[in-house]
Amino acid sequence: MDKSFLQYLFSEDIIYKIPANTENKQDLTVPVVKVSEEIQPEKVQKTVAPPTPAPVASVPDFIPYNPKNQVLILVDNINQEEMELLGKILGAVQLQINQVDLLDLSKVGDTSLKNILTQKSLRQLLTFGVSLFRIQLEIPLTPYQIREVQGVRFLYSDALGEIKDDVTRKKALWSAMKAFFA
């Protein structure tokens, strides 16, 4: 199964791993602690403080993103080899790195780009292995399928590291890129 599909499918879920070893499983229907019948509930004083809520990491409403170009490319932790591949991909559609805005989320962290839809200054958003849910855009995307929302065209692709040695993914990306930049 495709990793990006699974990331999209379970992006907001907590997943638990249940051990396969069943020898040490406890029966959950049997209480772990048994209450003695000698203790009468009305004589027991509760001294437990109410639980304090765990701190929640807040995601900023938006990052200050002022587009210099009409194309935004999202990546996560891009290295030099992947940067060269990106340059070749952009060159195939008559673009250069300096003609697009490149946002590396490993340097910015999980943020929100909800404001890009209201600014109307961006025409295309291409993401390489980064789910839009990470930037607080709840727009489901299918790999290599173009989707337009509020005048912005979106294209999701596998991460550059996954594409570089996979001919099938390169062909799918090339087909989508021709239509995306037509």
Side-chain angles (χ1 to χ4, degrees), residues 65-67 69-71 116-123 152:
Y65 169 65
N66 298 318
N69 300 290
Q70 294 185 341
V71 178
I116 65 168
L117 294 177
T118 57
Q119 286 179 344
K120 303 288 186 203
S121 56
L122 188 68
R123 284 189 14 201
V152 179

Side-chain angles (χ1 to χ4, degrees), residues 7 10 31 47 49 67 71 81 90 93 97 131 143-144 149 154 167 177:
Q7 286 176 334
F10 297 109
T47 58
V71 178
E81 184 181 0
L90 291 174
V93 291
I97 287 284
S131 168
Y144 308 107
V149 176
F154 294 90
V167 175
M177 292 281 285

Side-chain angles (χ1 to χ4, degrees), residues 11-144:
S11 64
E12 295 184 11
D13 294 333
I14 297 173
I15 299 174
Y16 297 94
K17 182 178 179 186
I18 300 174
N21 183 359
T22 57
E23 294 173 9
N24 296 330
K25 268 192 177 175
Q26 294 179 354
D27 185 6
L28 297 179
T29 59
V30 178
V32 177
V33 178
K34 293 185 181 182
V35 177
S36 171
E37 286 139 13
E38 297 173 4
I39 299 175
Q40 296 176 357
E42 59 271 358
K43 292 184 179 180
V44 175
Q45 295 180 352
K46 291 186 180 180
T47 58
V48 177
T52 56
V56 177
S58 65
V59 174
D61 290 339
F62 64 93
I63 61 169
Y65 169 65
N66 298 318
K68 296 178 183 131
N69 300 290
Q70 294 185 341
V71 178
L72 172 62
I73 297 177
L74 296 178
V75 294
D76 189 16
N77 201 14
I78 190 168
N79 61 34
Q80 186 61 35
E81 184 181 0
E82 293 168 346
M83 185 64 100
E84 290 170 8
L85 176 61
L86 179 60
K88 290 177 184 177
I89 291 169
L90 291 174
V93 291
Q94 312 306 311
L95 286 174
Q96 296 176 359
I97 287 284
N98 63 354
Q99 293 176 303
V100 300
D101 292 340
L102 182 63
L103 183 60
D104 188 344
L105 291 183
S106 68
K107 295 178 180 159
V108 180
D110 286 344
T111 58
S112 176
L113 286 178
K114 287 182 181 178
N115 60 338
I116 65 168
L117 294 177
T118 57
Q119 286 179 344
K120 303 288 186 203
S121 56
L122 188 68
R123 284 189 14 201
Q124 295 163 310
L125 190 148
L126 174 60
T127 173
F128 285 98
V130 177
S131 168
L132 293 183
F133 292 103
R134 260 189 83 189
I135 58 169
Q136 307 302 311
L137 286 177
E138 297 180 9
I139 302 170
L141 297 178
T142 305
Y144 308 107

Side-chain angles (χ1 to χ4, degrees), residues 131-176:
S131 168
L132 293 183
F133 292 103
R134 260 189 83 189
I135 58 169
Q136 307 302 311
L137 286 177
E138 297 180 9
I139 302 170
L141 297 178
T142 305
Y144 308 107
Q145 299 294 315
I146 299 168
R147 180 160 183 202
E148 186 167 334
V149 176
Q150 296 183 9
V152 179
R153 298 178 78 194
F154 294 90
L155 177 61
Y156 176 84
S157 171
D158 292 306
L160 290 165
E162 296 174 6
I163 293 173
K164 69 180 178 180
D165 296 324
D166 190 332
V167 175
T168 305
R169 289 180 184 177
K170 282 182 181 177
K171 287 180 181 179
L173 177 61
W174 173 239
S175 294

